[in-house]
C-alpha cells in the first residue's frame, strides 16, 4: 500500500508522495484548517483589535448564522461579546503588571482564609469540635462541583472521600 501522510490540521491521511503532499499543503482546505488551529492560541489583544477593525456581519446579526462562518470578513461578535473580551484583556494586563511588580494578588488568599474561618466558626457554633484536618476535608467536599457528582460510574479517583475518611490498613509485610 505504501507510506501514508497524516495531516494533523485537517485530520486526513493520503498516499505520501511529493505531488500529493504539495497539493494538500497548498490547498485552501488545509490553509483554513491551519489558520483555525493557530487562531485558537491568539491572545485577547490581537482578537480584540481584529474584531474592532471589522464591520458587523449583517447576515449574522439578522439570521444568527452566516454562510461564510469563521472565514467571513465581517465581525460576528456582538457588543456584549466585545465588552467581555475587553474585560478579559484588562484582567490579563492587571495580572501581568502585578507579576512584573513582584507583588502577588492577595485577595485569593484572603478570600480563602475568610471562608475557612467562617467554616470553622460554624463548626464550633454547632458544638462539633473537630480537628482542623476534618474541617478542611468538609470544606473540600463542599467545593466539589455538583455536575461532577451527577455523572454515574465515576472512577474512584474522582469520587469524593467517604464521610469518615478513607480506611487505611497497616501492613507490615510488603510483596
Amino acid at each position: 500500500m505504501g507510506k501514508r501522510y497524516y495531516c494533523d490540521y485537517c485530520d486526513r491521511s493520503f498516499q505520501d508522495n511529493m505531488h500529493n503532499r504539495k497539493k494538500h499543503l497548498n490547498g485552501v482546505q488545509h490553509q483554513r484548517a491551519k489558520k483555525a488551529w493557530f487562531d485558537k492560541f491568539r491572545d485577547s489583544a490581537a482578537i480584540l483589535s481584529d474584531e474592532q477593525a471589522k464591520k458587523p456581519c449583517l447576515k449574522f446579526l439578522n439570521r444568527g448564522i452566516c454562510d461564510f462562518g469563521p472565514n467571513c470578513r465581517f465581525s460576528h461578535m456582538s457588543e456584549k461579546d466585545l465588552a467581555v473580551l475587553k474585560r478579559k484583556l484588562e484582567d490579563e494586563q492587571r495580572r501581568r503588571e502585578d507579576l512584573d511588580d513582584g507583588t502577588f494578588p492577595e485577595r485569593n488568599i484572603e478570600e480563602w482564609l475568610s471562608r475557612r474561618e467562617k467554616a470553622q466558626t460554624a463548626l464550633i457554633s454547632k458544638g462539633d469540635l473537630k480537628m482542623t484536618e476534618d474541617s478542611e476535608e468538609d470544606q473540600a467536599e463542599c467545593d466539589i462541583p455538583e455536575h461532577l457528582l451527577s455523572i454515574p460510574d465515576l472512577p474512584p479517583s474522582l469520587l469524593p472521600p467517604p464521610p469518615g475518611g478513607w480506611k487505611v490498613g497497616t501492613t507490615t509485610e510488603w510483596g
Side-chain angles (χ1 to χ4, degrees), residues 8-146:
D8 289 324
Y9 300 115
C10 303
D11 194 28
R12 291 183 61 197
S13 68
F14 50 87
Q15 187 177 3
D16 190 17
N17 59 38
M18 189 167 55
H19 174 72
N20 287 350
R21 190 184 290 204
K22 185 175 181 180
K23 186 177 176 183
H24 174 76
L25 295 177
N26 291 330
V28 176
Q29 183 182 9
H30 175 77
Q31 297 295 330
R32 285 182 182 164
K34 186 176 169 183
K35 182 183 182 305
W37 172 261
F38 282 105
D39 282 348
K40 286 192 251 181
F41 303 107
R42 290 176 57 199
D43 62 333
S44 301
I47 295 171
L48 183 64
S49 64
D50 286 349
E51 292 297 325
Q52 286 178 335
K54 296 178 185 178
K55 293 180 182 178
C57 180
L58 296 178
K59 285 184 180 179
F60 188 77
L61 291 176
N62 292 337
R63 294 190 290 166
I65 192 166
C66 177
D67 298 334
F68 297 100
N71 299 322
C72 185
R73 66 179 185 171
F74 298 105
S75 175
H76 290 176
M77 288 190 140
S78 65
E79 294 296 324
K80 187 178 179 182
D81 295 335
L82 287 173
V84 168
L85 194 58
K86 282 181 187 177
R87 249 185 271 121
K88 182 179 175 184
L89 179 63
E90 290 169 358
D91 290 343
E92 287 176 2
Q93 288 175 347
R94 202 173 309 123
R95 283 191 206 113
R96 283 188 204 129
E97 290 172 0
D98 288 344
L99 291 176
D100 290 342
D101 294 342
T103 58
F104 297 100
E106 294 182 20
R107 64 173 179 215
N108 291 337
I109 295 171
E110 291 174 0
E111 289 174 4
W112 180 80
L113 286 172
S114 65
R115 280 190 282 134
R116 183 172 181 231
E117 186 177 333
K118 287 177 185 176
Q120 286 179 345
T121 55
L123 288 173
I124 293 172
S125 66
K126 289 180 183 177
D128 187 15
L129 299 176
K130 292 183 176 180
M131 295 177 62
T132 57
E133 293 86 13
D134 293 337
S135 63
E136 288 176 0
E137 288 178 7
D138 290 341
Q139 185 178 1
E141 287 181 8
C142 296
D143 292 341
I144 297 172
E146 291 182 19

